[in-house]
Amino acid sequence: DTEVTQTPKHLVMGMTNKKSLKCEQHMGHRAMYWYKQKAKKPPELMFVYSYEKLSINESVPSRFSPECPNSSLLNLHLHALQPEDSALYLCASSQAGQGNQPQHFGDGTRLSIL
Amino acid sequence: TQLLEQSPQFLSIQEGENLTVYCNSSSVFSSLQWYRQEPGEGPVLLVTVVTGGEVKKLKRLTFQFGDARKDSSLHITAAQPGDTGLYLCAGEAGNQFYFGTGTSLTVIP
């Protein structure tokens, strides 16, 4: 079992819907990440939070809105998504920012946009 | 342009065969990590290599970090169907964290 928990595991939504992805970790990590992953491709970094502050936004469209309510929780709010946004969305955490610290991943949310 | 290039991109082999996956870059990395991602799951850290020339073993998996810390390899001996998955190298260079391009391995029983 992974120590990073993501909910829901699967999500199907229409292009006009609003939904949120949730991620939780209790390892005391102060860096949390959102990645987007297409099949058999490496994860693509979307956002990085360090000490609950957004430190990296990799030019992600505004229809994706991250939120870090506290050091254990990370949300990704979705609105007006496009079919090409269908992918596996992975959350990860690490001890302190990017760098040499290994990242611990959740099992992802499989998102399908109709 | 990907900073970490992996080869091969896809690999399909019979159970019992040996294989090597390569992770190459023109940049120097302070360390490199290897992850394995099985279908329906997130990537799981296998190993971190830190010192140039370092060799680490994890059961049938052998990881090597190049002397110049620009490349790494993963060798699997006597592959088993449970080794099937996406193998990713990753590391930090210039304050940025990069994933490799990935190697999708299928081991056929």
Side-chain angles (χ1 to χ4, degrees):
Chain A
D1 284 339
T2 179
E3 295 172 346
V4 177
T5 304
Q6 290 188 243
T7 56
K9 288 194 182 303
H10 302 275
L11 180 61
V12 179
M13 56 188 286
M15 289 190 283
T16 58
N17 293 155
K18 284 185 183 180
K19 296 285 185 185
S20 296
L21 309 185
K22 296 186 183 301
C23 175
E24 188 169 1
Q25 58 88 15
H26 294 287
M27 294 178 281
H29 289 170
R30 301 309 298 273
M32 296 186 76
Y33 311 79
W34 279 116
Y35 288 89
K36 173 184 178 181
Q37 187 179 30
K38 294 284 196 179
K40 297 193 177 180
K41 297 290 186 184
E44 299 170 26
L45 184 65
M46 299 174 73
F47 303 103
V48 180
Y49 274 83
S50 183
Y51 294 91
E52 296 94 72
K53 287 189 168 50
L54 183 65
S55 61
I56 293 179
N57 176 342
E58 291 286 353
S59 303
V60 179
S62 60
R63 57 186 184 267
F64 296 92
S65 175
E67 178 198 17
C68 190
N70 60 56
S71 60
S72 300
L73 294 174
L74 187 65
N75 299 322
L76 186 63
H77 303 298
L78 315 173
H79 175 53
L81 295 195
Q82 303 298 308
E84 62 265 28
D85 297 323
S86 297
L88 181 69
Y89 288 83
L90 290 164
C91 173
S93 69
S94 69
Q95 281 193 339
Q98 297 192 52
N100 295 337
Q101 300 300 323
Q103 297 184 21
H104 298 254
F105 285 84
D107 285 339
T109 294
R110 176 74 58 190
L111 177 66
S112 298
I113 307 300
L114 300 179
Chain B
T1 304
Q2 289 282 351
L3 203 64
L4 282 167
E5 293 281 346
Q6 287 183 237
S7 60
Q9 186 178 359
F10 297 97
L11 188 56
S12 182
I13 62 171
Q14 294 291 132
E15 182 176 359
E17 291 183 359
N18 301 333
L19 67 117
T20 302
V21 177
Y22 298 93
C23 173
N24 294 304
S25 177
S26 56
S27 298
V28 175
F29 285 80
S30 54
S31 66
L32 277 178
Q33 300 159 15
W34 283 94
Y35 293 81
R36 177 171 64 211
Q37 184 176 17
E38 297 184 23
E41 299 182 4
V44 174
L45 180 70
L46 297 174
V47 78
T48 300
V49 285
V50 179
T51 307
E54 181 178 5
V55 176
K56 281 191 173 178
K57 291 196 173 188
L58 186 67
K59 295 183 182 177
R60 294 176 294 101
L61 277 60
T62 301
F63 304 86
Q64 185 159 6
F65 200 11
D67 290 340
R69 291 186 285 124
K70 292 182 178 181
D71 55 84
S72 181
S73 64
L74 157 59
H75 182 79
I76 301 180
T77 304
Q80 298 178 0
D83 296 327
T84 292
L86 179 68
Y87 287 81
L88 296 158
C89 63
E92 183 210 16
N95 265 349
Q96 283 278 89
F97 185 80
Y98 299 91
F99 272 104
T101 49
T103 295
S104 180
L105 171 65
T106 302
V107 181
I108 302 164

